[in-house]
Amino acid sequence: MSGLIQKAGFVLTLLCLAAPAHAGMKSDLANCPGGLGAKSAKACTRIIKSGRLPKKKHYIAYYNRGWAYRNAGDYKRAHRDFNRVVKLKRSFAEGYYSRAVVLYDRGKKSDSIKDLDRYVKYKKKGKWVAYYGRALMLRRLKHRRRALSDLSKAEKLEPSEHKIVVMRALVLSDQGKHDEALDTIDSVIEAHPNDAEALHARAVILFRQKQFDDADAELDEAIRLRKSFEAAYLLRGQILEKRRQYKRARDQYERALATSAKSVEQLYAQKTARARIRALDRRSGPTVVSSSTSSDCRRFIPAANMTIAIKCKK
């Protein structure tokens, strides 16, 4: 999500209410936009049913609840809520992007692309963000030429935004053009040596070239710059799997699940990490209980390099 549209939360403030909020309502207003699975979904539902949220603001609550359902893996309910969002607020571009994500989750790829196009149409401010956001999902949908086209449009509108170039390098690598991808990402790193996303992208390309030691070195620096970096821990786990260091790989996947993901890309990194844990469990039998969602009651303990179960807060 990279701090763009992909962010799964839209703030409901006390000013949205038709009457002063009591303590319980204030708690719901804080929890509803959090995207914390069932907890956030219930908070949003209470706000909607309270009758204290003006009808013109209902789309915000449905948007937040849709993301809560999506993060909990309940794609059907998420889809239903995003349908309500675009019905209530046709011009709300983020509603179409969010529905595109959940349509992709449900395997409805052609419908997902239609909503991505609607997202670009309705996104009036920061148009480069619309093209960049659509490129992110088009890449996931394996529409790489269209993704590159959108990245070019985004760059024309915002030539100083180097994250566009980082994404272009990854798409080029997706096409098997690893040398061109490396040249592209190296230009970014030369200008921005402390960009964790760029370092991770370089590690991805090197990993695909089976240069595991070099990829690992890039990840060291990326993680030093950003401690909570789901995709970096995921990639390190994949490198360790290639080296047949399965226990250490599993630890890295658990670490990828230890943060509360707030973007589409972070969420998908965690989804892949869970899939790899399941694969490792099938290989040798489960050793610890893995996280089923980003909001499960677990905590990573860096000093012990392990994830432990904790008591859930009500």
Side-chain angles (χ1 to χ4, degrees):
M1 280 163 107
S2 307
L4 297 169
I5 161 63
Q6 305 95 304
K7 200 158 187 178
F10 195 85
V11 177
L12 279 165
T13 68
L14 298 178
L15 297 177
C16 290
L17 295 180
H22 54 72
M25 183 62 71
K26 288 180 180 179
S27 177
D28 285 342
L29 286 166
N31 289 324
C32 176
L36 301 175
K39 181 179 180 181
S40 290
K42 289 177 181 177
C44 294
T45 298
R46 285 192 292 269
I47 291 170
I48 293 166
K49 289 183 175 180
S50 71
R52 305 177 73 187
L53 185 69
K55 286 189 176 181
K56 66 180 181 178
K57 297 292 184 180
H58 277 199
Y59 78 97
I60 302 176
Y62 284 122
Y63 173 78
N64 286 319
R65 192 174 71 174
W67 271 108
Y69 282 140
R70 190 265 165 220
N71 292 352
D74 193 341
Y75 302 142
K76 186 174 181 180
R77 285 185 177 179
H79 189 182
R80 190 183 305 150
D81 272 355
F82 292 140
N83 282 342
R84 289 173 173 139
V85 171
V86 299
K87 183 177 180 180
L88 291 169
K89 188 78 170 179
R90 185 180 177 186
S91 62
F92 184 53
E94 284 74 7
Y96 296 105
Y97 194 97
S98 302
R99 191 169 67 178
V101 170
V102 83
L103 283 166
Y104 169 82
D105 290 330
R106 301 188 73 188
K108 300 181 179 183
K109 296 183 179 181
S110 60
D111 289 336
S112 178
I113 291 172
K114 289 177 184 177
D115 264 351
L116 290 171
D117 294 342
R118 294 183 183 106
Y119 163 61
V120 172
K121 174 184 176 181
Y122 285 106
K123 186 73 173 176
K124 302 302 183 183
K125 294 182 180 180
K127 199 71 172 182
W128 78 268
V129 175
Y131 288 121
Y132 178 79
R134 185 168 66 178
L136 285 174
M137 285 302 294
L138 287 172
R139 180 192 175 213
R140 192 163 291 283
L141 288 157
K142 302 188 188 305
H143 287 246
R144 291 159 185 155
R145 287 187 180 180
R146 279 198 67 191
L148 288 172
S149 175
D150 270 359
L151 291 172
S152 294
K153 292 173 184 175
E155 191 172 26
K156 285 181 181 179
L157 294 171
E158 195 66 35
S160 64
E161 184 52 72
H162 62 273
K163 69 174 62 181
I164 299 169
V165 186
V166 173
M167 183 55 58
R168 178 183 293 119
L170 287 170
V171 177
L172 288 169
S173 180
D174 293 342
Q175 292 180 321
K177 302 174 182 178
H178 303 308
D179 291 339
E180 186 179 350
L182 279 177
D183 288 343
T184 301
I185 201 63
D186 284 349
S187 68
V188 177
I189 294 173
E190 184 178 354
H192 306 277
N194 293 324
D195 188 309
E197 291 280 356
L199 291 166
H200 169 260
R202 193 172 197 278
V204 170
I205 300 164
L206 291 168
F207 172 75
R208 291 171 174 176
Q209 292 182 313
K210 303 187 187 305
Q211 299 183 46
F212 301 138
D213 290 343
D214 290 340
D216 218 11
E218 299 293 340
L219 290 176
D220 279 339
E221 186 64 11
I223 291 170
R224 182 187 70 80
L225 292 165
R226 188 194 301 177
K227 300 299 181 185
S228 299
F229 199 163
E230 297 86 352
Y233 293 121
L234 168 64
L235 182 57
R236 173 156 283 165
Q238 292 170 318
I239 291 171
L240 289 165
E241 278 202 74
K242 292 292 185 182
R243 292 170 171 165
R244 299 185 180 182
Q245 298 178 30
Y246 302 119
K247 185 177 184 302
R248 290 184 61 198
R250 197 183 199 288
D251 289 342
Q252 292 300 304
Y253 296 142
E254 286 284 0
R255 192 158 189 170
L257 297 175
T259 62
S260 180
K262 291 186 172 70
S263 76
V264 169
E265 293 303 295
Q266 291 169 347
L267 290 164
Y268 283 130
Q270 290 188 335
K271 182 177 181 178
T272 304
R274 290 187 199 99
R276 294 314 310 150
I277 287 174
R278 289 194 295 271
L280 290 174
D281 284 349
R282 287 193 296 270
R283 179 186 182 89
S284 59
T287 56
V288 297
V289 178
S290 61
S291 302
S292 59
T293 71
S294 59
S295 60
D296 281 345
C297 305
R298 305 184 62 76
R299 179 176 296 160
F300 182 78
I301 308 299
N305 193 32
M306 64 183 294
T307 301
I308 63 171
I310 61 173
K311 186 176 180 180
C312 293
K313 294 180 180 180
K314 301 295 186 183

